[in-house]
């Protein structure tokens, strides 16, 4: 049995760590958060693309870590809104707003749009970096349609509006393990796992 690969997730969010640990279950990989994340100089995700935010974050935190670092950026892209909320997905309704406020803002922006204009995709970029160098970049996406009212109590963020058509359910109406099979983050992370295995 090879010894596990140890990686640090560039986040202070235990929920994100748990999500990655669930995705990595059964693989020889050990994930942890930075114990001192909040006292490190922070990285501002101010860039206009997911890739710049994820790579910038991975490089920044890898300079403060003896272990390789994974950083990600993700969000919802709505082509009919010029790609919004995009890399600003977390701040779409302003700093400190809730998921419900972001969902309402999106519904507001989508008012009057129907059919293909409500098509959207969740995008995720994950960057693996070590000692100030990018080792590899992974990404994936999942397409869906945005409903005109939230449905379901699970998930987070924009999940209650995101209808995954093959199941006829929103991402908030399916269990987390099932979402992970189809989600942008799950698909991208499986590429990272395959890379580590190789
Ligand atoms: P970050 O990648 O942690 O910066 O998150 C970006 C934002 O995109 C989140 O705060 C959510 O609003 C949104 N987002 C990213 N992935 C998902 C998802 O799987 N479901 C719902 N919203 C998501």
């Amino acid at each position: 049995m090879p010894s596990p690969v140890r990686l640090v997730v560039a986040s202070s969010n235990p929920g994100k760590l748990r999500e990655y640990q669930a995705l990595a279950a059964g693989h020889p990989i050990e994930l942890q958060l930075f114990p001192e994340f909040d006292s490190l100089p922070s990285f501002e995700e101010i860039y206009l693309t997911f890739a710049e935010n994820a790579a910038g974050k991975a490089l920044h935190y890898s300079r403060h870590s003896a272990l390789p670092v994974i950083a990600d950026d993700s969000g919802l892209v709505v082509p009919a809104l010029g790609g919004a909320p995009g890399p600003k997905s977390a701040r779409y309704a302003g700093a400190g707003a809730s998921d419900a406020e972001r969902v309402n803002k999106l519904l507001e922006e989508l008012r009057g749009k129907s059919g293909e204009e409500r098509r959207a995709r969740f995008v995720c970029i994950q960057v693996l970096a070590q000692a100030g160098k990018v080792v590899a970049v992974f990404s994936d996406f999942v397409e869906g349609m945005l409903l005109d009212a939230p449905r379901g109590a699970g998930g987070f963020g924009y999940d209650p509006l995101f209808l995954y058509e093959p199941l006829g359910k929103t991402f908030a109406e399916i269990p987390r393990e099932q979402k992970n099979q189809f989600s942008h983050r799950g698909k991208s992370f499986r590429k990272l796992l395959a890379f580590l295995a190789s």
Side-chain angles (χ1 to χ4, degrees):
M1 187 75 175
S3 50
V5 180
R6 292 173 65 210
L7 300 177
V8 182
V9 179
S11 172
S12 59
N13 180 349
K16 188 165 266 190
L17 177 68
R18 277 195 297 276
E19 185 171 329
Y20 275 124
Q21 283 172 330
L23 286 164
H27 293 264
I29 161 171
E30 260 178 42
L31 296 162
Q32 62 185 75
L33 295 177
F34 273 101
E36 72 288 23
F37 189 84
D38 290 332
S39 60
L40 295 175
S42 62
F43 175 79
E44 301 299 325
E45 294 182 39
I46 52 167
Y47 298 96
L48 298 180
T49 65
F50 296 111
E52 285 168 287
N53 285 320
K57 194 162 41 166
L59 287 172
H60 173 80
Y61 287 108
S62 77
R63 296 190 184 102
H64 298 277
S65 170
L67 294 173
V69 169
I70 311 176
D72 65 15
D73 196 25
S74 63
L76 183 72
V77 172
V78 186
L81 297 180
K88 291 194 184 138
S89 290
R91 306 179 297 280
Y92 194 41
S98 64
D99 276 349
E101 287 167 322
R102 284 185 278 276
V103 161
N104 285 336
K105 156 104 174 148
L106 183 58
L107 285 173
E108 191 66 27
E109 298 292 327
L110 287 168
R111 195 179 297 166
K113 299 206 185 298
S114 59
E116 283 304 303
E117 289 180 312
R118 298 184 82 95
R119 187 167 291 285
R121 58 182 177 272
F122 278 125
V123 175
C124 180
I125 310 272
Q126 290 153 347
V127 176
L128 185 62
Q130 184 159 27
K133 290 206 166 60
V134 168
V135 177
V137 179
F138 308 91
S139 69
D140 219 317
F141 68 94
V142 57
E143 272 205 358
M145 296 297 268
L146 297 171
L147 299 177
D148 51 19
R151 251 171 52 185
F156 72 99
Y158 302 94
D159 281 344
L161 287 186
F162 189 85
L163 182 75
Y164 182 61
E165 292 164 291
L167 297 179
K169 291 185 175 169
T170 70
F171 269 1
E173 292 178 305
I174 59 176
R176 177 160 5 118
E177 307 73 56
Q178 198 174 15
K179 176 182 164 186
N180 285 344
Q181 279 175 37
F182 310 114
S183 77
H184 48 319
R185 199 170 297 100
K187 291 194 291 185
S188 180
F189 193 65
R190 284 192 287 280
K191 293 178 185 172
L192 188 150
L193 290 172
F195 172 83
L196 292 176
S198 70

